[in-house]
Amino acid sequence: MKQNKKTLLIYVVLAAAIIAVYWPVYKYDFVKYDDDVYVTNNKNIQTGLNWQIIKWAFTSGYASNWHPLTWLSHTLDYQLYGEWAGGHHITNVLFHIANTLLLFYFLKKATNYLWPALFVAAAFALHPLHVESVAWIAERKDVLSALFWILTMIAYVQYVKNIGQTHGSAPTKLYSASLVLFALGLMSKPMLVTMPFVLLLLDYWPLERKFSKRVVIEKIPFFIFSILSSVVTFIVQQKSGAITAIEHHGLASRAGNIIVSYAEYIFKTIWPAKLAVLYQYPVDGLPLYRIIISAIILCAITFAVLLFAKRYKFILFGWLWYLGTLVPVIGFIQIGAHSMADRYTYIPLIGIFITIFFGAKELFPKRQKFLFAAAVGILIASSVTAAIQVRYWKDSLTLFEHTIRVTEKHFIIMTNYAACLNDAGRYEESIIYTQKLIKMKPDSAENHNCLGNSLMHLGRIDEAIDQFQLATKCKPIFPQAWYNLGVAVSKLNNFEKAALLFEKAIEQKSDYLEAYVNLAISYNQMQRFDKTIEVCSKALAIDPANVYLHGHLAMALSAVGRNDEAIKEIRYVLSVRPDDSQMYRNLGILLSQKGLKSQAIEAYRKALQIDPNDKNVQWLLDKLLEEKKNEK
């Protein structure tokens, strides 16, 4: 009973420590770095959990990934929280808490050691390198896949311990459970493909099973799942263009980056400073001295591990865990523009922590009190550093400002930063910053588009048009630039040309709702109401709840005399936006035309309640009241 209370207290302390570090995230925003791709601009997940989204999740290669459970997780979050980013953040933190508690349970169950298991779990919970996986909404796949990773190991350990000790189907069920959990993990993030090797490591330590034919055969289904996941992932990423061609980063360059990355992750584990969301891939290659020093460090560690491995199996276990679980993301196949990433350490660092904390217990048995105090001190320092790192995820501007400050200036981050300045209404700053970027890279479509946006907001329409045209010239398939060009042209009242540009944007992005709305406005301005009705009907099939489309459809329907349908559309708009005085005015006009004067008077009065200074509505109301008076 006393042991159970101690374990329960440990669970509470671990959860409380995580909450203490991550509590501010409930008031944090989405960041303009994949959060838009995964959540805010992803219309697929915003429809709610249904069979259609389940089918999409399992058949889509959206965002260059196949991880259906991650998409379903984001879908459920959006259904619960909508645009409240804090809710999405909280879910990530809850997953991290669950992973930490399960990791502690797993290690304690597998090794029968309480304190080393606790310190490994605490280090996992509080290390600054793990902040990226938890505080970044788009990295839900990390915390979700880790949940299934740890559950797979728990089920596997239980299976092994039940072999020969129980009768019936218990071992078979546990084995099946571990396989199913592994499959779910792969459907959350394919980085789990190294699990079969980790299970072999578990057989080596702490389970200490004799190597046999059965041990190998048990892993065959796991290897099959890993191969299938790897093939699907490769196909999806290759089709989307996410895989960097071998010619871009040659084999020698990749080999050098792999060696340096393995060493750099260890260095950042010990001294987690200057952590950033993006570490630039060395365009001109890494200095030879860095590669040599990193190789010497890795060889020295490996030699020391092998020296102690026979007596202390956990040392080899931890080192091979670290080396092996990083393989899918270490750079053999280069994805994106980064050389390494903090989020990639979420699972691999468990191996380093096991080596450190189990090693401290075994190698220094007479200094346990000192080591205990030292470990607590390190964890407190780690918590403080992690809490500081969490603050940088407050919003996009804060994140990018920090990244630019602590790393070499990376063009992608600088471009995102300029766009965020524009989004924040800091147009003059954005213009200065973007012009510098264009000088660095004149063919940057994104920066021409960003500069055009800033200029357009400042009323410099002709200059903005020039920039949007340059953006589309540099990157012909760029729906946002075509859309922005259409908006700029429409400000010059050239609605015919604007309509063509909005159609071009829709041609490149079939669900571009903003382009549909502005296309409808353009057709209404040209009094081509049949085209407006056609456009709105097509767009409402994509987003039936879009209030702007319903509003413009109402205007077009009333213009062609379909007043009953127009009134229905207006009433829908008012059910969503009950403070829209203009819609109440339009409703009053249509009701008056139908002879429903009492209802029209009520609509005008509601419009005046919202905007008492609207003289046009007041005139319409007075006129109608006079007509009713004369009728009497």
Side-chain angles (χ1 to χ4, degrees), residues 482-523:
W482 289 108
Y483 166 78
N484 289 334
L485 182 56
V487 172
V489 168
S490 68
K491 289 182 181 293
L492 299 177
N493 296 324
N494 190 344
F495 296 108
E496 187 170 349
K497 184 176 180 181
L500 293 174
L501 293 167
F502 293 135
E503 287 174 348
K504 183 81 172 179
I506 292 167
E507 182 184 319
Q508 295 181 1
K509 184 181 177 184
S510 60
D511 62 347
Y512 205 156
L513 290 171
E514 292 86 351
Y516 276 112
V517 170
N518 279 275
L519 181 58
I521 293 171
S522 297
Y523 281 134

mmCIF file of all heavy atoms in Angstrom, residues 482-523:
data_model
loop_
_atom_site.group_PDB
_atom_site.id
_atom_site.type_symbol
_atom_site.label_atom_id
_atom_site.label_comp_id
_atom_site.label_asym_id
_atom_site.label_seq_id
_atom_site.Cartn_x
_atom_site.Cartn_y
_atom_site.Cartn_z
ATOM 1 N N TRP A 482 -2.291 35.162 -57.621
ATOM 2 C CA TRP A 482 -3.334 35.471 -58.602
ATOM 3 C C TRP A 482 -4.542 36.096 -57.919
ATOM 4 O O TRP A 482 -5.138 37.051 -58.442
ATOM 5 C CB TRP A 482 -3.752 34.208 -59.351
ATOM 6 C CG TRP A 482 -2.718 33.691 -60.313
ATOM 7 C CD1 TRP A 482 -1.942 32.579 -60.168
ATOM 8 C CD2 TRP A 482 -2.324 34.273 -61.562
ATOM 9 N NE1 TRP A 482 -1.098 32.421 -61.230
ATOM 10 C CE2 TRP A 482 -1.309 33.441 -62.107
ATOM 11 C CE3 TRP A 482 -2.732 35.406 -62.265
ATOM 12 C CZ2 TRP A 482 -0.708 33.715 -63.334
ATOM 13 C CZ3 TRP A 482 -2.130 35.677 -63.490
ATOM 14 C CH2 TRP A 482 -1.134 34.844 -64.011
ATOM 15 N N TYR A 483 -4.896 35.574 -56.748
ATOM 16 C CA TYR A 483 -6.019 36.130 -55.990
ATOM 17 C C TYR A 483 -5.728 37.573 -55.573
ATOM 18 O O TYR A 483 -6.563 38.471 -55.752
ATOM 19 C CB TYR A 483 -6.280 35.267 -54.758
ATOM 20 C CG TYR A 483 -7.190 35.917 -53.736
ATOM 21 C CD1 TYR A 483 -8.562 35.961 -53.929
ATOM 22 C CD2 TYR A 483 -6.659 36.492 -52.580
ATOM 23 C CE1 TYR A 483 -9.398 36.559 -52.995
ATOM 24 C CE2 TYR A 483 -7.480 37.093 -51.646
ATOM 25 C CZ TYR A 483 -8.853 37.129 -51.853
ATOM 26 O OH TYR A 483 -9.677 37.733 -50.929
ATOM 27 N N ASN A 484 -4.536 37.805 -55.026
ATOM 28 C CA ASN A 484 -4.171 39.150 -54.586
ATOM 29 C C ASN A 484 -4.139 40.129 -55.754
ATOM 30 O O ASN A 484 -4.534 41.294 -55.615
ATOM 31 C CB ASN A 484 -2.816 39.132 -53.886
ATOM 32 C CG ASN A 484 -2.877 38.469 -52.521
ATOM 33 O OD1 ASN A 484 -3.919 38.446 -51.883
ATOM 34 N ND2 ASN A 484 -1.759 37.917 -52.076
ATOM 35 N N LEU A 485 -3.677 39.655 -56.888
ATOM 36 C CA LEU A 485 -3.672 40.497 -58.087
ATOM 37 C C LEU A 485 -5.101 40.867 -58.469
ATOM 38 O O LEU A 485 -5.385 42.015 -58.846
ATOM 39 C CB LEU A 485 -2.968 39.766 -59.237
ATOM 40 C CG LEU A 485 -2.829 40.512 -60.567
ATOM 41 C CD1 LEU A 485 -2.109 41.846 -60.374
ATOM 42 C CD2 LEU A 485 -2.084 39.653 -61.585
ATOM 43 N N GLY A 486 -6.006 39.910 -58.345
ATOM 44 C CA GLY A 486 -7.420 40.182 -58.624
ATOM 45 C C GLY A 486 -8.001 41.224 -57.680
ATOM 46 O O GLY A 486 -8.747 42.120 -58.093
ATOM 47 N N VAL A 487 -7.651 41.111 -56.387
ATOM 48 C CA VAL A 487 -8.138 42.082 -55.400
ATOM 49 C C VAL A 487 -7.629 43.480 -55.742
ATOM 50 O O VAL A 487 -8.372 44.468 -55.695
ATOM 51 C CB VAL A 487 -7.687 41.678 -53.975
ATOM 52 C CG1 VAL A 487 -8.028 42.784 -52.976
ATOM 53 C CG2 VAL A 487 -8.357 40.375 -53.552
ATOM 54 N N ALA A 488 -6.333 43.566 -56.084
ATOM 55 C CA ALA A 488 -5.734 44.865 -56.414
ATOM 56 C C ALA A 488 -6.404 45.475 -57.645
ATOM 57 O O ALA A 488 -6.727 46.670 -57.670
ATOM 58 C CB ALA A 488 -4.235 44.704 -56.634
ATOM 59 N N VAL A 489 -6.629 44.662 -58.665
ATOM 60 C CA VAL A 489 -7.260 45.141 -59.900
ATOM 61 C C VAL A 489 -8.697 45.593 -59.632
ATOM 62 O O VAL A 489 -9.169 46.595 -60.190
ATOM 63 C CB VAL A 489 -7.209 44.043 -60.984
ATOM 64 C CG1 VAL A 489 -8.114 44.390 -62.163
ATOM 65 C CG2 VAL A 489 -5.777 43.840 -61.467
ATOM 66 N N SER A 490 -9.405 44.871 -58.773
ATOM 67 C CA SER A 490 -10.795 45.240 -58.457
ATOM 68 C C SER A 490 -10.863 46.588 -57.745
ATOM 69 O O SER A 490 -11.860 47.306 -57.841
ATOM 70 C CB SER A 490 -11.469 44.155 -57.613
ATOM 71 O OG SER A 490 -10.896 44.102 -56.318
ATOM 72 N N LYS A 491 -9.800 46.937 -57.010
ATOM 73 C CA LYS A 491 -9.758 48.248 -56.344
ATOM 74 C C LYS A 491 -9.672 49.390 -57.349
ATOM 75 O O LYS A 491 -9.968 50.550 -57.018
ATOM 76 C CB LYS A 491 -8.579 48.308 -55.367
ATOM 77 C CG LYS A 491 -8.773 47.434 -54.129
ATOM 78 C CD LYS A 491 -7.605 47.559 -53.174
ATOM 79 C CE LYS A 491 -7.803 46.660 -51.957
ATOM 80 N NZ LYS A 491 -8.927 47.090 -51.108
ATOM 81 N N LEU A 492 -9.274 49.060 -58.577
ATOM 82 C CA LEU A 492 -9.268 50.047 -59.667
ATOM 83 C C LEU A 492 -10.556 49.961 -60.482
ATOM 84 O O LEU A 492 -10.650 50.533 -61.576
ATOM 85 C CB LEU A 492 -8.055 49.821 -60.573
ATOM 86 C CG LEU A 492 -6.671 49.951 -59.903
ATOM 87 C CD1 LEU A 492 -5.562 49.639 -60.904
ATOM 88 C CD2 LEU A 492 -6.480 51.334 -59.307
ATOM 89 N N ASN A 493 -11.538 49.206 -59.942
ATOM 90 C CA ASN A 493 -12.865 49.044 -60.565
ATOM 91 C C ASN A 493 -12.818 48.318 -61.911
ATOM 92 O O ASN A 493 -13.759 48.426 -62.703
ATOM 93 C CB ASN A 493 -13.562 50.401 -60.733
ATOM 94 C CG ASN A 493 -13.861 51.051 -59.394
ATOM 95 O OD1 ASN A 493 -14.195 50.363 -58.422
ATOM 96 N ND2 ASN A 493 -13.735 52.372 -59.317
ATOM 97 N N ASN A 494 -11.748 47.573 -62.153
ATOM 98 C CA ASN A 494 -11.665 46.758 -63.364
ATOM 99 C C ASN A 494 -12.154 45.348 -63.010
ATOM 100 O O ASN A 494 -11.370 44.403 -62.868
ATOM 101 C CB ASN A 494 -10.230 46.726 -63.878
ATOM 102 C CG ASN A 494 -10.134 46.105 -65.273
ATOM 103 O OD1 ASN A 494 -11.062 45.446 -65.743
ATOM 104 N ND2 ASN A 494 -8.999 46.303 -65.933
ATOM 105 N N PHE A 495 -13.469 45.231 -62.876
ATOM 106 C CA PHE A 495 -14.037 43.989 -62.363
ATOM 107 C C PHE A 495 -13.975 42.848 -63.375
ATOM 108 O O PHE A 495 -13.910 41.683 -62.994
ATOM 109 C CB PHE A 495 -15.489 44.228 -61.917
ATOM 110 C CG PHE A 495 -15.585 45.199 -60.770
ATOM 111 C CD1 PHE A 495 -16.080 46.488 -60.965
ATOM 112 C CD2 PHE A 495 -15.150 44.846 -59.504
ATOM 113 C CE1 PHE A 495 -16.164 47.391 -59.917
ATOM 114 C CE2 PHE A 495 -15.227 45.739 -58.441
ATOM 115 C CZ PHE A 495 -15.729 47.022 -58.651
ATOM 116 N N GLU A 496 -13.990 43.180 -64.638
ATOM 117 C CA GLU A 496 -13.912 42.135 -65.662
ATOM 118 C C GLU A 496 -12.557 41.420 -65.601
ATOM 119 O O GLU A 496 -12.493 40.190 -65.615
ATOM 120 C CB GLU A 496 -14.134 42.747 -67.044
ATOM 121 C CG GLU A 496 -14.243 41.694 -68.148
ATOM 122 C CD GLU A 496 -14.699 42.271 -69.474
ATOM 123 O OE1 GLU A 496 -15.140 43.444 -69.494
ATOM 124 O OE2 GLU A 496 -14.610 41.553 -70.481
ATOM 125 N N LYS A 497 -11.487 42.217 -65.506
ATOM 126 C CA LYS A 497 -10.157 41.615 -65.402
ATOM 127 C C LYS A 497 -9.995 40.908 -64.062
ATOM 128 O O LYS A 497 -9.393 39.828 -63.989
ATOM 129 C CB LYS A 497 -9.080 42.691 -65.551
ATOM 130 C CG LYS A 497 -7.662 42.123 -65.547
ATOM 131 C CD LYS A 497 -6.624 43.205 -65.785
ATOM 132 C CE LYS A 497 -5.217 42.610 -65.771
ATOM 133 N NZ LYS A 497 -4.177 43.655 -65.983
ATOM 134 N N ALA A 498 -10.537 41.512 -63.005
ATOM 135 C CA ALA A 498 -10.446 40.905 -61.671
ATOM 136 C C ALA A 498 -11.104 39.525 -61.665
ATOM 137 O O ALA A 498 -10.567 38.573 -61.081
ATOM 138 C CB ALA A 498 -11.106 41.807 -60.636
ATOM 139 N N ALA A 499 -12.248 39.410 -62.349
ATOM 140 C CA ALA A 499 -12.951 38.122 -62.393
ATOM 141 C C ALA A 499 -12.084 37.049 -63.047
ATOM 142 O O ALA A 499 -12.026 35.899 -62.578
ATOM 143 C CB ALA A 499 -14.263 38.273 -63.151
ATOM 144 N N LEU A 500 -11.381 37.425 -64.120
ATOM 145 C CA LEU A 500 -10.496 36.467 -64.789
ATOM 146 C C LEU A 500 -9.379 36.004 -63.863
ATOM 147 O O LEU A 500 -8.984 34.829 -63.867
ATOM 148 C CB LEU A 500 -9.908 37.103 -66.056
ATOM 149 C CG LEU A 500 -10.901 37.411 -67.186
ATOM 150 C CD1 LEU A 500 -10.191 38.179 -68.296
ATOM 151 C CD2 LEU A 500 -11.511 36.125 -67.733
ATOM 152 N N LEU A 501 -8.872 36.931 -63.055
ATOM 153 C CA LEU A 501 -7.781 36.594 -62.131
ATOM 154 C C LEU A 501 -8.274 35.703 -60.998
ATOM 155 O O LEU A 501 -7.584 34.766 -60.580
ATOM 156 C CB LEU A 501 -7.169 37.879 -61.580
ATOM 157 C CG LEU A 501 -6.430 38.736 -62.621
ATOM 158 C CD1 LEU A 501 -6.145 40.125 -62.080
ATOM 159 C CD2 LEU A 501 -5.140 38.055 -63.058
ATOM 160 N N PHE A 502 -9.473 35.969 -60.488
ATOM 161 C CA PHE A 502 -10.035 35.110 -59.439
ATOM 162 C C PHE A 502 -10.300 33.708 -59.986
ATOM 163 O O PHE A 502 -10.089 32.704 -59.293
ATOM 164 C CB PHE A 502 -11.326 35.713 -58.886
ATOM 165 C CG PHE A 502 -11.122 36.997 -58.130
ATOM 166 C CD1 PHE A 502 -11.954 38.090 -58.341
ATOM 167 C CD2 PHE A 502 -10.100 37.124 -57.201
ATOM 168 C CE1 PHE A 502 -11.770 39.275 -57.650
ATOM 169 C CE2 PHE A 502 -9.900 38.307 -56.509
ATOM 170 C CZ PHE A 502 -10.744 39.389 -56.738
ATOM 171 N N GLU A 503 -10.752 33.634 -61.236
ATOM 172 C CA GLU A 503 -10.965 32.326 -61.862
ATOM 173 C C GLU A 503 -9.650 31.569 -62.009
ATOM 174 O O GLU A 503 -9.606 30.343 -61.843
ATOM 175 C CB GLU A 503 -11.638 32.507 -63.235
ATOM 176 C CG GLU A 503 -13.115 32.900 -63.128
ATOM 177 C CD GLU A 503 -13.729 33.215 -64.474
ATOM 178 O OE1 GLU A 503 -12.956 33.361 -65.456
ATOM 179 O OE2 GLU A 503 -14.958 33.339 -64.549
ATOM 180 N N LYS A 504 -8.578 32.307 -62.292
ATOM 181 C CA LYS A 504 -7.246 31.689 -62.405
ATOM 182 C C LYS A 504 -6.821 31.097 -61.056
ATOM 183 O O LYS A 504 -6.284 29.988 -60.987
ATOM 184 C CB LYS A 504 -6.235 32.748 -62.841
ATOM 185 C CG LYS A 504 -4.831 32.236 -63.067
ATOM 186 C CD LYS A 504 -4.681 31.587 -64.413
ATOM 187 C CE LYS A 504 -3.241 31.253 -64.721
ATOM 188 N NZ LYS A 504 -3.082 30.590 -66.032
ATOM 189 N N ALA A 505 -7.079 31.841 -59.983
ATOM 190 C CA ALA A 505 -6.744 31.358 -58.638
ATOM 191 C C ALA A 505 -7.537 30.100 -58.307
ATOM 192 O O ALA A 505 -6.995 29.139 -57.746
ATOM 193 C CB ALA A 505 -7.019 32.452 -57.615
ATOM 194 N N ILE A 506 -8.818 30.092 -58.656
ATOM 195 C CA ILE A 506 -9.679 28.928 -58.381
ATOM 196 C C ILE A 506 -9.256 27.726 -59.222
ATOM 197 O O ILE A 506 -9.302 26.580 -58.771
ATOM 198 C CB ILE A 506 -11.156 29.297 -58.639
ATOM 199 C CG1 ILE A 506 -11.635 30.314 -57.601
ATOM 200 C CG2 ILE A 506 -12.040 28.052 -58.611
ATOM 201 C CD1 ILE A 506 -12.944 30.970 -57.933
ATOM 202 N N GLU A 507 -8.813 27.998 -60.436
ATOM 203 C CA GLU A 507 -8.326 26.923 -61.304
ATOM 204 C C GLU A 507 -7.144 26.193 -60.665
ATOM 205 O O GLU A 507 -7.002 24.981 -60.787
ATOM 206 C CB GLU A 507 -7.906 27.537 -62.644
ATOM 207 C CG GLU A 507 -7.411 26.543 -63.679
ATOM 208 C CD GLU A 507 -6.924 27.245 -64.936
ATOM 209 O OE1 GLU A 507 -7.581 28.204 -65.361
ATOM 210 O OE2 GLU A 507 -5.875 26.832 -65.471
ATOM 211 N N GLN A 508 -6.308 26.949 -59.930
ATOM 212 C CA GLN A 508 -5.128 26.365 -59.296
ATOM 213 C C GLN A 508 -5.433 25.820 -57.906
ATOM 214 O O GLN A 508 -4.703 24.966 -57.404
ATOM 215 C CB GLN A 508 -4.020 27.416 -59.204
ATOM 216 C CG GLN A 508 -3.502 27.859 -60.558
ATOM 217 C CD GLN A 508 -2.390 28.879 -60.459
ATOM 218 O OE1 GLN A 508 -1.967 29.258 -59.371
ATOM 219 N NE2 GLN A 508 -1.887 29.333 -61.603
ATOM 220 N N LYS A 509 -6.506 26.314 -57.290
ATOM 221 C CA LYS A 509 -6.894 25.850 -55.958
ATOM 222 C C LYS A 509 -8.421 25.784 -55.917
ATOM 223 O O LYS A 509 -9.100 26.776 -55.680
ATOM 224 C CB LYS A 509 -6.365 26.806 -54.879
ATOM 225 C CG LYS A 509 -6.631 26.356 -53.461
ATOM 226 C CD LYS A 509 -6.109 27.376 -52.457
ATOM 227 C CE LYS A 509 -6.456 26.945 -51.030
ATOM 228 N NZ LYS A 509 -6.042 27.958 -50.022
ATOM 229 N N SER A 510 -8.937 24.600 -56.142
ATOM 230 C CA SER A 510 -10.373 24.437 -56.389
ATOM 231 C C SER A 510 -11.250 24.794 -55.198
ATOM 232 O O SER A 510 -12.447 25.066 -55.357
ATOM 233 C CB SER A 510 -10.665 22.993 -56.815
ATOM 234 O OG SER A 510 -10.259 22.091 -55.798
ATOM 235 N N ASP A 511 -10.690 24.794 -53.972
ATOM 236 C CA ASP A 511 -11.497 25.128 -52.795
ATOM 237 C C ASP A 511 -11.153 26.511 -52.231
ATOM 238 O O ASP A 511 -11.311 26.772 -51.040
ATOM 239 C CB ASP A 511 -11.313 24.069 -51.706
ATOM 240 C CG ASP A 511 -9.876 23.974 -51.214
ATOM 241 O OD1 ASP A 511 -8.987 24.547 -51.880
ATOM 242 O OD2 ASP A 511 -9.639 23.329 -50.167
ATOM 243 N N TYR A 512 -10.696 27.406 -53.083
ATOM 244 C CA TYR A 512 -10.252 28.744 -52.663
ATOM 245 C C TYR A 512 -11.491 29.623 -52.430
ATOM 246 O O TYR A 512 -11.929 30.364 -53.305
ATOM 247 C CB TYR A 512 -9.349 29.342 -53.731
ATOM 248 C CG TYR A 512 -8.381 30.390 -53.237
ATOM 249 C CD1 TYR A 512 -7.206 30.650 -53.938
ATOM 250 C CD2 TYR A 512 -8.631 31.141 -52.095
ATOM 251 C CE1 TYR A 512 -6.295 31.608 -53.509
ATOM 252 C CE2 TYR A 512 -7.738 32.101 -51.659
ATOM 253 C CZ TYR A 512 -6.575 32.330 -52.367
ATOM 254 O OH TYR A 512 -5.692 33.285 -51.928
ATOM 255 N N LEU A 513 -12.032 29.577 -51.234
ATOM 256 C CA LEU A 513 -13.315 30.227 -50.940
ATOM 257 C C LEU A 513 -13.229 31.751 -51.042
ATOM 258 O O LEU A 513 -14.177 32.403 -51.492
ATOM 259 C CB LEU A 513 -13.804 29.816 -49.553
ATOM 260 C CG LEU A 513 -14.254 28.355 -49.448
ATOM 261 C CD1 LEU A 513 -14.502 27.967 -48.001
ATOM 262 C CD2 LEU A 513 -15.520 28.124 -50.272
ATOM 263 N N GLU A 514 -12.099 32.332 -50.592
ATOM 264 C CA GLU A 514 -11.956 33.790 -50.683
ATOM 265 C C GLU A 514 -12.027 34.240 -52.143
ATOM 266 O O GLU A 514 -12.607 35.289 -52.462
ATOM 267 C CB GLU A 514 -10.634 34.235 -50.063
ATOM 268 C CG GLU A 514 -10.553 34.051 -48.561
ATOM 269 C CD GLU A 514 -10.085 32.657 -48.160
ATOM 270 O OE1 GLU A 514 -9.980 31.777 -49.063
ATOM 271 O OE2 GLU A 514 -9.825 32.449 -46.975
ATOM 272 N N ALA A 515 -11.443 33.432 -53.034
ATOM 273 C CA ALA A 515 -11.491 33.769 -54.462
ATOM 274 C C ALA A 515 -12.918 33.653 -54.989
ATOM 275 O O ALA A 515 -13.365 34.488 -55.799
ATOM 276 C CB ALA A 515 -10.557 32.847 -55.246
ATOM 277 N N TYR A 516 -13.651 32.651 -54.537
ATOM 278 C CA TYR A 516 -15.058 32.505 -54.938
ATOM 279 C C TYR A 516 -15.871 33.723 -54.489
ATOM 280 O O TYR A 516 -16.689 34.257 -55.253
ATOM 281 C CB TYR A 516 -15.662 31.242 -54.327
ATOM 282 C CG TYR A 516 -15.408 29.975 -55.115
ATOM 283 C CD1 TYR A 516 -14.589 28.973 -54.608
ATOM 284 C CD2 TYR A 516 -15.997 29.777 -56.362
ATOM 285 C CE1 TYR A 516 -14.351 27.803 -55.313
ATOM 286 C CE2 TYR A 516 -15.775 28.610 -57.073
ATOM 287 C CZ TYR A 516 -14.952 27.624 -56.545
ATOM 288 O OH TYR A 516 -14.727 26.472 -57.254
ATOM 289 N N VAL A 517 -15.667 34.153 -53.246
ATOM 290 C CA VAL A 517 -16.417 35.303 -52.715
ATOM 291 C C VAL A 517 -16.147 36.551 -53.547
ATOM 292 O O VAL A 517 -17.068 37.272 -53.948
ATOM 293 C CB VAL A 517 -16.051 35.548 -51.228
ATOM 294 C CG1 VAL A 517 -16.624 36.882 -50.755
ATOM 295 C CG2 VAL A 517 -16.564 34.426 -50.353
ATOM 296 N N ASN A 518 -14.871 36.813 -53.835
ATOM 297 C CA ASN A 518 -14.530 38.004 -54.610
ATOM 298 C C ASN A 518 -14.953 37.885 -56.074
ATOM 299 O O ASN A 518 -15.261 38.904 -56.710
ATOM 300 C CB ASN A 518 -13.036 38.275 -54.500
ATOM 301 C CG ASN A 518 -12.669 38.980 -53.220
ATOM 302 O OD1 ASN A 518 -12.729 40.204 -53.121
ATOM 303 N ND2 ASN A 518 -12.323 38.205 -52.201
ATOM 304 N N LEU A 519 -14.974 36.673 -56.581
ATOM 305 C CA LEU A 519 -15.488 36.463 -57.936
ATOM 306 C C LEU A 519 -16.975 36.796 -57.981
ATOM 307 O O LEU A 519 -17.458 37.441 -58.924
ATOM 308 C CB LEU A 519 -15.242 35.023 -58.374
ATOM 309 C CG LEU A 519 -15.698 34.627 -59.789
ATOM 310 C CD1 LEU A 519 -15.031 35.514 -60.840
ATOM 311 C CD2 LEU A 519 -15.396 33.160 -60.048
ATOM 312 N N ALA A 520 -17.713 36.378 -56.951
ATOM 313 C CA ALA A 520 -19.142 36.696 -56.866
ATOM 314 C C ALA A 520 -19.353 38.211 -56.789
ATOM 315 O O ALA A 520 -20.256 38.760 -57.438
ATOM 316 C CB ALA A 520 -19.756 36.020 -55.641
ATOM 317 N N ILE A 521 -18.531 38.898 -56.009
ATOM 318 C CA ILE A 521 -18.618 40.360 -55.902
ATOM 319 C C ILE A 521 -18.377 41.005 -57.268
ATOM 320 O O ILE A 521 -19.100 41.933 -57.678
ATOM 321 C CB ILE A 521 -17.600 40.889 -54.875
ATOM 322 C CG1 ILE A 521 -17.975 40.425 -53.464
ATOM 323 C CG2 ILE A 521 -17.522 42.414 -54.926
ATOM 324 C CD1 ILE A 521 -16.912 40.719 -52.424
ATOM 325 N N SER A 522 -17.380 40.505 -57.979
ATOM 326 C CA SER A 522 -17.052 41.073 -59.307
ATOM 327 C C SER A 522 -18.212 40.914 -60.273
ATOM 328 O O SER A 522 -18.571 41.851 -61.001
ATOM 329 C CB SER A 522 -15.794 40.388 -59.868
ATOM 330 O OG SER A 522 -14.674 40.632 -59.042
ATOM 331 N N TYR A 523 -18.819 39.731 -60.281
ATOM 332 C CA TYR A 523 -19.954 39.502 -61.182
ATOM 333 C C TYR A 523 -21.156 40.366 -60.788
ATOM 334 O O TYR A 523 -21.872 40.883 -61.655
ATOM 335 C CB TYR A 523 -20.339 38.025 -61.195
ATOM 336 C CG TYR A 523 -19.443 37.173 -62.064
ATOM 337 C CD1 TYR A 523 -18.949 35.956 -61.611
ATOM 338 C CD2 TYR A 523 -19.084 37.583 -63.350
ATOM 339 C CE1 TYR A 523 -18.116 35.176 -62.406
ATOM 340 C CE2 TYR A 523 -18.261 36.814 -64.148
ATOM 341 C CZ TYR A 523 -17.780 35.609 -63.666
ATOM 342 O OH TYR A 523 -16.957 34.843 -64.468
#
